[in-house]
Each structure stands twice: as C-alpha cells, then as structure tokens.
Amino acid sequence: MSGIPTVTPDSSRLATATTAGVSPIRVVGLTKRYHSLRGDILAVDAIDLEVRSGEFFGLLGPNGAGKSTTIGMLTTRVAPTAGRAEVAGIDVVADPAAVKAAIGVVPQTNTLDRQLNVFDNLYFHGRYFGMSRRVARERTAELLERFSLADRAKALVQQLSGGMAQRLMFARAIMHRPAVLILDEPTSGIDPQTRVNLWELLTELNDEGQTILLTTHYMEEADRLCNRIAIVDHGHVLALGSPSELKAGLDADTLVTITFADDAAALLPTAEALPGVRRAEAEGRVLRLFARDAEGLLGRVVTLAAGAGASIRDASNEPPTLEAVFLALTGREYRE
Amino acid sequence: MSPRDDHAEVATATSGTPGAAQRGNTGPVWVLGMLLLRDLRVLTRDLGQFILRTVMQPLLFTFVFAYVFPKIGQGIGAVGHAGPSFATILVPGLVAVAINFQGIQAVALPLVQEFSYTKEIEDRILAPVPVWMVGLEKILSGVIQSIVAAAVVFPIVLLVHAKGQAPEVHVASWPLFLVVVLLASFLGASFGLLIGTTFDPRKLPLLFSLIVIPITFLGCIYYPWATLSPIPWLKYAVLVNPLVYMSEGLRAALTPSLPHMPEAAFLSVLSVGTLAMALLALRMFHRRVVD
C-alpha cells in the first residue's frame, strides 16, 4: 500500500496554510490520553488536520479509532492532553463558549429536549444562540418547513419517529447558522430511506457553502459525500485525501473479487504472479486481486482456477472501492 | 464512484449565510436567562402537577397534626397542652421542608434523567456558555421553584388548623425572613445539583430513603432544636443536617416566640454552607460533563 498518501507526523503540519481567512477547523498535534486502572490509553495520538472553508470533510475509521474523542475535543466536551485545536480560529481550551457558538452538532444519540415540543426545541435553541423572539420564530418555521416537520410542530419529541427525530436534530444543529456543522456518526442505526434523504440534505447544505465535518464508518457514505477524507486508526491519521486520491493510492484500477467453494489461499501464489496484479489477498474463500492495466484478468483467473480444479461461486470485476483502501490501511481484525 | 470529488477544489469563503449567525446577544447572562426561560416554559406547562406535588405533603401534615390530632385529643397538639400550639411549631418547619425538598426535586430529578443514557444534557451543554454556567442556571431554576413552593405552602400551613389552634405567626424581621428563604433555596438547589450530578440513576429510589426522609425527620421540623436538650447526642448529631438551619432560621423569622438558634449561628452556617455546596456541585458538574 505504498502508494496511498499516508501522513507522517509533521509533513502536513499546517502545510495547507489558510488562503482566505481562518480555517473552520485546524488541529495541530492534538492528543488525548485517558488514565485508567488498566494503564493509559492513547485515544488520539498527535493528529494534525485542517478543514477548509466550505469543505465536506470526512473522518473515517473503525470503532475505537479516536474519531469520537477527536469530535469531543472539537466540541469542547473532552479536554485535550496536548496539542491545539481551533474552530473558526478560536482555541477550544481558551474559549469553549465561543467555540460552541461557532459549531452545530449532531451527536450519535437523540439528545433532543424531551420536555419541549418540536417547535420549542428549535425556538429555544435559537434563543440560546442569541436570536430575538421574532427571528427565532421565523427561523424555526423556515426549518420545520424545510425538514418536513411543520405538521409535527406541536408534537412532543417522544412522539417522533426515528427519522423525524434525526431531521429535527439536523435542524437544531444548523438553526444558528454555525460556521462548522459537526456530525458524529449521524446515520448509524437509521433506515436506508432516511439515510439517503439525509445524504441529499447534507449535499444541499454543503452546496450552499456549509462547512461540514462528518465521522462515519460507512465507506459508501464517506465516498459519496466527502471532498476529502482522513482515515484514522489507533489515534493516528493514516491517510488523507479526496476519495479518488485515496483509491488511486492503491495503485490499481481494478479490483477482482472471486469467491470459491473452498479455501482460496492455495491459489494465492499463482494469482499473485498474473500480469498486472499489484497486490493479492486471500481471506477464507475470497480472493482479492488489485490490478492495473490488466485487461482480461478475470478470465485468466477463471481459467487458472479451472486448471487447479477449484470451483468458483461468485466473481466480480470493479474499480477499487474506498472500503478496499480502508481495509488495506486498518487491517481486518475485529474491533469492539 | 465519487460524485462529489469533482468539486474538491472548494469554493473560497462563501459570502452567504454560514458562519454569519445573527449573534446579537450571546453574552453569558443572556444565555443563562434563555435557559431559565426554557425551564419556566416547562414549569408553567406542568404548573398543576407542580402545585399538586408541592402542596400534598404539607397539607396532609397540617391537616393531621393541626386539625385531626387536636380534635381527637391525641398526644401532640392536644387541647390543654401547655405552651404554643403545634401548628406554630410546624409553620416554619414545613416551609423549610418545602423549600429544601423542592430544590432537590426540581434540580436533581430532571438532571439524573438528562445525564442517563439519552445524554439529553448535551442539548443544554452546547449552549454558548461555559459549562459551569449551565450548572449555575440549574441552581437558579431550583431557587425560583423553591421560592414558589414556599409561597404556595405558607398559606396552607397558616390556614389549615382546628379551632383555637391557629399558629402564632408574625414576621419579626422581613429582611431576615427573605435572607433565610433565599439562602435556604440556594442551599437546597445546590444540594439538588450535587445529587443530580453524582447519583446513579439506577439507585434513585435510595435518594428518598437514604437522604430525603432522614433529612426531613431529623431536620427540626416538628420540634425546635433547643427542645432536643434531653437527648444531647442527637442535639449535636443533627447539626450536620442543613435542614436544621433552614427550619431554625425560619423559626427566628416567623415565630420568634419559640426557642430558636441564635441568628449568627444559622446565618453563618447557611451562607458558608450554601457557598461550599454550590462550588462543590458546580465542580462535580463540570467534571461529569467534560472528560
């Protein structure tokens, strides 16, 4: 995986210095160490990041990679152990209240105000953020309309479906027109229709100029939505770039995946030697070949398998996915 | 595969809306005021419920002790009993309980819920103020509710009694009365914040049997502190109970004819205790919220 644009600790440090105004998010050497009885845990290990104005930025990583801790530090809920983080040019440690004024957050769980109805959830949020009664009322009405919640304005939060609650949380997050919209795994556990709707909505917001920071472990989501992605694991940024740059980093234009009736490992050495194959891996009954300029590779593998007496159950030929990049970088062992 | 890739070259700072919030008023005092307004909205919506839960306990107490007991000639408060009527003793005590209990209930119960698995507290924590101010707002909201509770309970304990058993109440000093009510409300609400921040929601039922009930029964509500002299160990043991100072303070302000602690004693304990309790509660709140 030599070609994937990996990040060494200081190569990118502030390399992309801001061209116009302050960066919505700038993180330098940010570190969080948790002390526990079983020893220290380095949740975030000196990461550097910069999100540009108007960008849709993705933080992609397996569970426990340090995504949520990073978001926690950016939203002033987690105190950094070392390093700096600035949101809209404001230091998260020096002035957390000003940082909170500059961000809109959609957290992982439903944190809506259960004592208030749908309208008041938005209305009071606007009031907390300095809106007059009139402005808060108008903005609430506008957002309820936009998020198709207008007919539920008087409903209590408990009476909303999961998708409606999610939409209301998005509306709340952008109610005060934040400089950065921060989404912490917003689509985990919601149905596919709602997810696709949210994707459209996020794209729309981003097209309007809204800077968005998204964490997710859904590759497809990151691939579709994000301008740039940082793949993180074990508290490090492993790779950073646009989805196509990351995929190009695999040094392959084709991913051939073959599922056999039996274990695929026996075919690995011969398949690896086929012309154009840059990398091959066997996992159980599945064989994956990353290839470049390898016209007819799938046919050759089928012939090879037939010669070796292995029967094929399924075969596919497609451009490499972000998932392939992700797995190449983060490995395949299970995470909690 | 990456339809959004093509505009990786991001438009430079949009002159549009994002980031340009209409931030007319985000001073901390404004935000605090708005958080209070939110609590008032919830309170006024459930006003009936609020009054019911505030009124029932003192109403039944005065009914049984100041009406039923004298009528049936039962022990305390019985007709012919020397000294002040039991109703007189009860007035300051029951007002003190109302303040203290309301402070704990109004702050701790919602907070335990907000901290539990839904993490609803985030909704308030993300308001653009320092975290400790969100805690302070909870205390202030509890103070307001405690004062309302005192105002609701006072006429009841004053008016519900058997014939000839009217409590002898006169406000000897309004400033003293107001200071005691205010300090008692702050102390109760701060205690509520501490409980709400540190209590495990699964152990909530224990809150009543381990804290609320012992504090109430040993809080010099049904007897002035001075009358505990025959049981010296108890007389000094109850001094750890904050409710003792609230009851005694109100006794001094409302029923000065009854024995009560010296002003300097309950005022200094109430003010130092309130400050210490509030600081401790705010500190724990911050620690619970920020990792």
Side-chain angles (χ1 to χ4, degrees), chain A residues 77 115 120 206 224 244, chain B residues 2 4-5 41 45 122:
Chain A
R77 292 294 311 281
Q115 298 295 315
D120 280 348
N206 184 236
R224 273 177 69 148
S244 48
Chain B
S2 312
R4 316 224 356 108
D5 236 24
R41 168 74 54 98
R45 198 196 53 201
E122 304 246 348

Side-chain angles (χ1 to χ4, degrees), chain A:
Chain A
M1 68 199 98
S2 54
I4 295 169
T6 49
V7 178
T8 49
D10 30 17
S11 70
S12 76
R13 190 163 297 203
L14 298 186
T16 43
T18 48
T19 45
V22 283
S23 308
I25 291 177
R26 176 190 288 199
V27 163
V28 183
L30 194 63
T31 301
K32 180 64 184 181
R33 186 187 294 277
Y34 285 107
H35 303 286
S36 81
L37 292 173
R38 283 167 292 159
D40 284 6
I41 297 158
L42 203 53
V44 174
D45 189 4
I47 67 164
D48 303 317
L49 283 177
E50 180 158 16
V51 178
R52 299 166 194 153
S53 186
E55 188 167 43
F56 203 136
F57 192 93
L59 215 49
L60 189 63
N63 291 333
K67 301 189 301 285
S68 285
T69 307
T70 305
I71 294 291
M73 289 190 276
L74 290 172
T75 55
T76 77
R77 292 294 311 281
V78 176
T81 312
R84 276 172 71 81
E86 285 174 9
V87 177
I90 308 154
D91 189 290
V92 295
V93 176
D95 195 352
V99 167
K100 287 191 272 187
I103 57 175
V105 183
V106 179
Q108 286 182 23
T109 53
N110 178 345
T111 62
L112 294 166
D113 193 333
R114 283 160 181 73
Q115 298 295 315
L116 299 178
N117 65 26
V118 169
F119 186 93
D120 280 348
N121 259 275
L122 296 184
Y123 173 80
F124 276 103
H125 186 87
R127 299 286 275 156
Y128 303 158
F129 284 79
M131 287 180 187
S132 70
R133 234 172 309 184
R134 190 180 56 82
V135 172
R137 247 189 247 124
E138 286 169 4
R139 177 89 174 136
T140 298
E142 172 198 330
L143 287 176
L144 289 180
E145 200 58 52
R146 173 165 190 183
F147 288 77
S148 314
L149 289 165
D151 56 333
R152 308 306 301 266
K154 297 280 173 225
L156 282 175
V157 168
Q158 291 95 316
Q159 300 163 331
L160 298 182
S161 70
M164 287 176 176
Q166 193 77 11
R167 294 207 296 277
L168 186 56
M169 289 214 284
F170 272 93
R172 181 182 63 179
I174 61 167
M175 177 78 187
H176 56 289
R177 305 180 200 278
V180 190
L181 179 58
I182 297 177
L183 314 168
D184 194 6
E185 297 187 10
T187 57
S188 41
I190 64 173
D191 60 80
Q193 282 81 6
T194 307
R195 183 180 304 164
V196 171
N197 271 330
L198 285 175
W199 285 351
E200 277 169 20
L201 191 85
L202 288 174
T203 308
E204 212 175 284
L205 284 172
N206 184 236
D207 288 344
E208 288 165 17
Q210 176 72 59
T211 306
I212 301 176
L213 172 63
L214 166 84
T215 78
T216 183
H217 47 236
Y218 292 111
M219 322 291 148
E220 194 197 346
E221 183 165 285
D223 200 350
R224 273 177 69 148
L225 297 173
C226 297
N227 302 127
R228 283 196 306 148
I229 293 169
I231 295 180
V232 293
D233 198 13
H234 302 300
H236 294 283
V237 177
L238 300 179
L240 179 70
S242 70
S244 48
E245 278 166 6
L246 290 173
K247 284 180 271 189
L250 279 174
D251 193 28
D253 54 20
T254 306
L255 168 60
V256 171
T257 309
I258 299 126
T259 309
F260 293 98
D262 300 302
D263 199 79
L267 281 164
L268 189 61
T270 28
E272 213 163 13
L274 289 171
V277 173
R278 299 297 164 103
R279 211 159 66 83
E281 53 183 48
E283 188 198 12
R285 299 181 298 134
V286 178
L287 180 70
R288 282 188 203 85
L289 302 175
F290 296 90
R292 174 175 286 281
D293 303 324
E295 200 68 31
L297 177 61
L298 184 56
R300 277 199 288 277
V301 180
V302 171
T303 315
L304 185 78
S311 60
I312 293 173
R313 289 289 151 90
D314 190 35
S316 72
N317 190 5
E318 62 196 349
T321 58
L322 199 57
E323 182 167 0
V325 180
F326 182 80
L327 292 175
L329 284 166
T330 62
R332 288 176 185 282
E333 79 271 25
Y334 279 113
R335 305 301 170 89
E336 289 167 40

Side-chain angles (χ1 to χ4, degrees), chain B residues 25-252:
Chain B
N25 316 288
T26 42
V29 178
W30 164 278
V31 183
L32 197 95
M34 290 304 129
L35 288 166
L36 275 174
L37 266 188
R38 177 260 169 211
D39 286 355
L40 282 182
R41 168 74 54 98
V42 174
L43 183 65
T44 48
R45 198 196 53 201
D46 301 333
L47 197 60
Q49 213 191 359
F50 171 84
I51 289 178
L52 268 183
R53 73 163 193 247
T54 308
V55 159
M56 280 317 278
Q57 197 230 25
L59 177 64
L60 286 169
F61 242 102
T62 43
F63 178 69
V64 170
F65 284 98
Y67 180 80
V68 177
F69 273 24
K71 284 274 188 200
I72 62 176
Q74 176 88 21
I76 30 169
V79 184
H81 190 274
S85 74
F86 191 54
T88 308
I89 294 171
L90 277 181
V91 168
L94 289 180
V95 173
V97 172
I99 290 175
N100 185 54
F101 188 60
Q102 191 60 241
I104 294 176
Q105 179 159 279
V107 181
L109 293 190
L111 193 56
V112 166
Q113 232 166 29
E114 287 164 16
F115 266 126
S116 67
Y117 73 102
T118 65
K119 303 200 178 91
E120 190 189 327
I121 189 75
E122 304 246 348
D123 176 73
R124 272 16 75 70
I125 291 299
L126 285 170
V129 275
V131 167
W132 66 268
M133 285 192 80
V134 177
L136 180 64
E137 185 275 334
K138 300 240 170 227
I139 293 180
L140 291 178
S141 173
V143 168
I144 292 171
Q145 296 183 54
S146 290
I147 291 173
V148 174
V152 170
V153 165
F154 193 57
I156 291 172
V157 292
L158 212 54
L159 298 177
V160 178
H161 55 78
K163 224 177 194 165
Q165 293 290 313
E168 297 155 40
V169 173
H170 77 99
V171 180
S173 154
W174 277 100
L176 181 68
F177 175 64
L178 295 176
V179 164
V180 170
V181 167
L182 213 58
L183 284 175
S185 304
F186 262 99
L187 184 53
S190 305
F191 192 38
L193 182 65
L194 184 68
I195 291 173
T197 303
T198 51
F199 232 75
D200 178 348
R202 287 166 304 176
K203 297 187 179 132
L204 206 56
L206 285 179
L207 171 65
F208 290 90
S209 38
L210 284 186
I211 295 179
V212 174
I213 293 176
I215 279 184
T216 308
F217 276 85
L218 301 174
C220 294
I221 293 164
Y222 320 116
Y223 41 82
W225 181 68
T227 60
L228 285 178
S229 293
I231 323 168
W233 66 268
L234 184 64
K235 187 175 180 185
Y236 294 100
V238 297
L239 288 178
V240 300
N241 184 349
L243 190 54
V244 168
Y245 304 93
M246 301 182 195
S247 312
E248 288 291 302
L250 286 173
R251 214 156 263 142

